[in-house]
Amino acid sequence: MRNYSTTKRVLVTGGAGFLGSHLCGRLLEKGYDVLCLDNMYTGTKENIAHMLGETRFEFMRHDVTFPLYVEVDEIFNLACPASPIHYQFDPVQTTKTSVHGAINMLGLAKRVKARILQASTSEVYGDPEVHPQEESYWGRVNPIGERACYDEGKRCAETLFFDYHRQHGLEIKVARIFNTYGPRMHPNDGRVVSNFIVQALKNEPITLYGDGMQTRSFCYVDDLVDGLIRLMASPADVIGPINLGNPVEYTVKQLAEKIIELTGSSSTMAFRPLPSDDPRQRQPNIGRAKELLDWEPTTELEEGLKKTIDYFENAFSA
């Protein structure tokens, strides 16, 4: 089938979500045919509305926990709710999406001999004892905690990817994605950037958990998408896992202060108890990404936050 056309055909699962919709747009810009797959659990038609008229873009409503039969050259497997509020709402389905979804997409890749990339997560490191986190670290994860449906689901997906590679010779890529933000984030996804911006724009108290001194590293979505595309296009022996994220570390309190400043908000800070298994620190070591992909983020936090704030302001005024 693939000999009939020189245009690369790319499947993006979770393509109507925050990250997936940005990836679909970038792939279209590169001249690829894009099949966007999503069950719309957290994805929205609004995220992909500007692409629906493109002749090289196709949207299919489908759940990756069921088999899929299409002809494609590459697969970006992004399907899975990624925020604690969404993935803890139906934890059994979250695990199924990560594990059954991986099995089904790997089976598809095997059938059509496609290269496949797994969007894994920094959550595989859990509440880390190693800082910053590098890919050789095996993590410190609570396998029976409230976050385990996502943490262990993604860890199992990585296992499946490597076993398909070893057993069937499948061309795989595994990216471990750290905190990413930008336009099209869901306003109610419970993540700190979207939470803080929404609360600041409404002049509501900004909710911080614990003492606000836990750290995170924030990567702007355009930089992250560039990393995913570079990883997919890398030589076959560059498999991963490879950390993709911004190595500049901020406390959650510093982020809140910056967002209050940029929005001109009158919000104060409200402190709440720390959720179960919430990691104290999260910072990627991106040495492998620099060496193997010639990649590192270029968007400063303030620049990215301004674009994200503009998006939410326009969304609220629409």
Side-chain angles (χ1 to χ4, degrees):
M1 288 289 294
R2 286 184 287 181
N3 293 330
Y4 285 104
S5 173
T6 58
T7 303
K8 187 175 290 185
R9 292 171 298 176
V10 184
L11 167 65
V12 179
T13 72
F18 158 57
L19 182 55
S21 63
H22 283 277
L23 176 60
C24 286
R26 188 76 65 86
L27 293 170
L28 282 176
E29 290 174 4
K30 293 176 72 67
Y32 300 154
D33 284 338
V34 177
L35 173 58
C36 168
L37 195 81
D38 208 297
N39 70 350
M40 308 309 265
Y41 177 64
T42 57
T44 68
K45 280 283 185 71
E46 287 77 15
N47 285 343
I48 57 172
H50 61 292
M51 294 181 275
L52 291 174
E54 294 276 352
T55 56
R56 288 181 290 101
F57 180 81
E58 180 182 359
F59 170 69
M60 179 186 294
R61 188 159 187 158
H62 181 86
D63 191 319
V64 294
T65 60
F66 296 93
L68 178 70
Y69 300 94
V70 294
E71 292 286 337
V72 292
D73 303 300
E74 292 179 351
I75 303 168
F76 287 86
N77 186 36
L78 275 61
C80 190
S83 75
I85 285 179
H86 291 149
Y87 67 64
Q88 290 176 14
F89 178 76
D90 189 346
V92 173
Q93 186 61 30
T94 296
T95 302
K96 285 182 177 179
T97 300
S98 288
V99 178
H100 292 182
I103 291 170
N104 287 329
M105 292 306 106
L106 287 163
L108 171 61
K110 180 187 172 188
R111 285 193 299 273
V112 301
K113 296 180 173 58
R115 177 176 283 194
I116 182 169
L117 182 148
Q118 167 67 6
S120 190
T121 171
S122 61
E123 296 292 335
V124 301
Y125 299 122
D127 188 5
E129 299 165 301
V130 172
H131 192 73
Q133 293 79 59
E134 58 184 32
E135 293 87 350
S136 60
Y137 177 54
W138 289 355
R140 178 172 173 264
V141 174
N142 176 3
I144 58 171
E146 293 178 358
R147 302 168 69 104
C149 58
Y150 186 68
D151 302 357
E152 297 288 31
K154 289 288 192 176
R155 286 162 70 95
C156 185
E158 287 194 15
T159 300
L160 286 162
F161 266 68
F162 276 84
D163 284 341
Y164 264 77
H165 171 68
R166 286 185 287 256
Q167 187 171 341
H168 301 296
L170 201 63
E171 284 196 25
I172 67 165
K173 307 286 181 179
V174 176
R176 288 179 178 165
I177 299 171
F178 283 68
N179 288 54
T180 305
Y181 71 99
R184 299 184 209 149
M185 292 186 80
H186 196 291
N188 300 315
D189 68 3
R191 293 191 242 194
V192 287
V193 173
S194 51
N195 261 15
F196 290 179
I197 290 175
V198 169
Q199 290 171 334
L201 290 175
K202 294 180 178 179
N203 293 308
E204 297 175 349
I206 294 197
T207 308
L208 284 83
Y209 295 95
D211 58 6
M213 299 311 291
Q214 62 269 42
T215 66
R216 298 290 184 269
S217 304
F218 303 102
C219 185
Y220 189 63
V221 63
D222 288 352
D223 291 330
L224 197 284
V225 166
D226 181 51
L228 290 176
I229 290 174
R230 285 175 184 244
L231 177 56
M232 179 64 93
S234 63
D237 61 350
V238 178
I239 295 170
I242 290 184
N243 289 338
L244 294 179
N246 195 318
V248 181
E249 191 177 20
Y250 294 90
T251 67
V252 175
K253 187 170 182 287
Q254 285 175 320
L255 176 70
E257 291 168 343
K258 176 59 69 175
I259 288 174
I260 290 172
E261 174 193 336
L262 293 175
T263 56
S265 175
S266 60
S267 294
T268 56
M269 297 186 195
F271 294 87
R272 300 285 184 269
L274 199 64
S276 173
D277 299 323
D278 192 64
R280 294 160 297 168
Q281 51 189 10
R282 192 59 62 72
Q283 180 188 20
N285 179 322
I286 61 168
R288 294 189 71 187
K290 287 181 179 179
E291 176 188 353
L292 299 175
L293 308 179
D294 190 27
W295 177 87
E296 63 181 315
T298 59
T299 306
E300 298 290 340
L301 180 64
E302 183 164 328
E303 177 189 353
L305 285 177
K306 286 178 179 177
K307 293 178 181 178
T308 311
I309 290 167
D310 286 345
Y311 167 78
F312 278 107
E313 285 180 329
N314 291 331
F316 289 151
S317 62

